Amino acid sequence: PVDVFAGALTQERKVSAAIADLYDAATAARDATSYPLLQFFLEEQVEEEATVSAIVDQLTMAAGNGGALLLLDRELGSRVVAPKA
């Protein structure tokens, strides 16, 4: 499980870098109208990276402990993601 989420974290970091590159391109093109949208995506990526990073940390701590993995699975499975307004 740790390897899967570590791979997901790597992917999230690539997405963050790609969005940052788009922000840089918008800045170079003086395309200020793109800033709010790109800022929204950057903020979302900060949250995504933090979430996946926390899961990697928890899985690392639980490694080899079946009971801890079961509790973590139950905790992650019960998460409710509220829609953003």
Side-chain angles (χ1 to χ4, degrees):
V2 175
D3 293 341
V4 172
F5 279 92
L9 182 56
T10 298
Q11 181 62 31
E12 292 296 344
R13 289 178 175 153
K14 287 179 183 177
V15 170
S16 295
I19 296 169
D21 289 345
L22 288 172
Y23 198 93
D24 290 344
T27 300
R30 299 179 59 150
D31 182 11
T33 59
S34 295
Y35 296 163
L37 181 63
L38 292 170
Q39 186 63 40
F40 168 79
F41 283 120
L42 286 171
E43 290 170 6
E44 287 294 312
Q45 276 308 112
V46 167
E47 291 177 24
E48 292 300 319
E49 281 190 44
T51 298
V52 177
S53 182
I55 293 170
V56 169
D57 291 344
Q58 291 170 333
L59 286 170
T60 300
M61 287 189 287
N65 183 333
L69 286 172
L70 181 61
L71 288 173
L72 182 56
D73 179 66
R74 185 176 300 153
E75 178 186 321
L76 293 174
S78 67
R79 292 185 311 161
V80 176
V81 179
K84 293 193 177 196

